[in-house]
Amino acid sequence: MLAETIVSLEPAMPVGMIAVVPVPLHRRKQAQRGFNQAEMIARAALKALARPKRFELCPAVLRRCRETGSQIGLTNHQRRENLRGTFKVSDPTRILKRDILLIDDVLTTGTTASECARVLLRAGAARVWVATVARTLKISSVAAMPDVLPENWEDDGSGEGSEARLGVTASG
């Protein structure tokens, strides 16, 4: 009888397996959308892997326990404060001493991923990596006018132009 009451501190899955944790949506937002895009990305990625048995999808390990407002227009400090205390680990034994692959759809400033990683590491994760489908960049670091304009440059005075006329280059 005593043996039945002892709780094991070992993780639910072998330590060598990588836990794939999608960034969660608040339950109201997920109900409104009908899906979590980060979880859909994680599922699709795992299907495409050559060695999927090395990974375990853990969609319920990390949860968003409060709704947050839009991060648009907030400073880095305000973004961190907006997310502080938003995420919780529902079952620390599932991530204890395990490597985590955190999946998000878009990385803008990294504040959400950083907060999720912080919470996962505090709950006992060994390491956290972040994978996203897209990353936003500030326009000043993406587009630049060339030093020398092409010979066929024509300015019609409208302030508008096609990509060919502008000769915009991307970097990143």
Side-chain angles (χ1 to χ4, degrees):
M1 187 99 151
L2 180 63
E4 293 173 3
T5 61
I6 295 175
V7 177
S8 173
L9 293 178
E10 294 296 314
M13 294 298 291
V15 173
M17 287 191 71
I18 296 170
V20 178
V21 178
V23 171
L25 293 174
H26 187 269
R27 59 180 157 61
R28 271 183 257 194
K29 187 148 212 169
Q30 185 157 343
Q32 180 184 33
R33 282 188 186 169
F35 64 94
N36 177 347
Q37 66 277 13
E39 185 176 340
M40 291 179 73
I41 292 164
R43 288 183 188 282
L46 289 177
K47 281 184 184 177
L49 286 177
R51 294 175 38 190
K53 292 183 179 178
R54 188 154 182 238
F55 298 88
E56 176 199 9
L57 182 63
C58 302
V61 165
L62 190 62
R63 62 186 184 86
R64 188 180 291 246
C65 51
R66 69 176 180 86
E67 288 182 278
T68 55
S70 172
Q71 304 261 86
I72 295 172
L74 299 181
T75 66
N76 287 339
H77 176 73
Q78 290 169 327
R79 287 172 184 261
R80 283 191 303 273
E81 288 302 312
N82 188 36
L83 289 176
R84 184 72 64 183
T86 297
F87 300 101
K88 302 280 187 232
V89 173
S90 61
D91 183 2
T93 63
R94 303 249 353 246
I95 62 160
L96 188 63
K97 298 180 184 174
R98 291 182 68 188
D99 289 339
I100 309 293
L101 178 59
L102 181 68
I103 306 291
D104 203 358
D105 57 345
V106 178
L107 184 79
T108 303
T109 63
T111 307
T112 301
S114 292
E115 181 63 11
C116 289
R118 186 185 72 78
V119 168
L120 289 162
L121 290 167
R122 281 199 165 185
R127 291 180 288 191
V128 177
W129 287 281
V130 177
T132 66
V133 172
R135 174 159 187 227
T136 61
L137 298 173
K138 288 183 180 180
I139 193 70
S140 63
S141 66
V142 176
M145 290 298 291
D147 292 334
V148 179
L149 295 173
E151 287 182 27
N152 61 350
W153 170 264
E154 293 178 22
D155 186 3
D156 62 7
S158 68
E160 298 179 4
S162 69
E163 287 180 20
R165 280 199 354 242
L166 288 176
V168 174
T169 59
S171 64

